[in-house]
Amino acid sequence: MGMPFNQEGYGLIYNKEIFTKAGIDASKIKTYADLEAASKTLDSKKKDLKLDAVFALPGKETWVTGLHLSNIAFANEFPTVLDAFNAKTTTFKQNQPLKKLLDLQIKYAYKPDGSNKSINSLDYSTQVEKMFSMGKVAIIQQGNWAFGSIDGIDPELSKNIGILPTPLDGVKEGWIYKLCNRF
């Protein structure tokens, strides 16, 4: 007997070569402050790194922010996955850390027309295939499913990517935080 099983992982996919050129050790990025510092460093070196922006955030794809990113905030409301599963309500006490993480991505994001509003026109294909796979941004919020798209465009790049946890500012509790910071 068997049971179908699928495992997906998501977080912040990054280009290892760009991080190395910028002098950033991704293994040291464990907190929101670490991610913010890395983002500032990348932004300050955009010209030398030939980047259009640090992030590409696909605002058109509501599942990226509405499901994946918000899941991190909601999961950190509970001490265990079982507590999260059994909960009848949540207080959404991580709303401000979630907003702060989203604002960081927006601040350093590729903006097609230069305004924050244009992030809502960015779709998955533009984020993954045009911006990240073509080396125009260093970080995208996605998951292991993006590998096929990246590999199809640049097999060498696909061998040179990593994934970071998506840290919420001040969150040092909860099963999801502990899980993400084991790596």
Side-chain angles (χ1 to χ4, degrees), residues 12-88:
L12 301 172
I13 297 174
Y14 69 97
N15 181 315
K16 291 179 180 179
E17 184 178 348
I18 291 173
F19 270 51
T20 299
K21 287 179 181 176
I24 298 169
D25 180 353
S27 70
K28 305 275 190 221
I29 300 175
K30 300 285 186 189
T31 66
Y32 173 84
D34 298 335
L35 178 62
E36 184 178 38
S39 299
K40 286 179 182 177
T41 298
L42 289 163
D43 188 62
S44 73
K45 297 179 178 187
K46 278 189 317 193
K47 186 176 180 183
D48 294 337
L49 298 169
K50 299 182 174 107
L51 296 174
D52 290 348
V54 175
F55 291 94
L57 180 65
K60 188 173 184 178
E61 308 291 358
T62 56
W63 55 270
V64 174
T65 54
L67 296 176
H68 293 156
L69 191 58
S70 65
N71 277 343
I72 294 162
F74 284 120
N76 276 292
E77 301 274 316
F78 306 98
T80 70
V81 67
L82 196 54
D83 291 327
F85 179 78
N86 289 323
K88 303 286 186 232

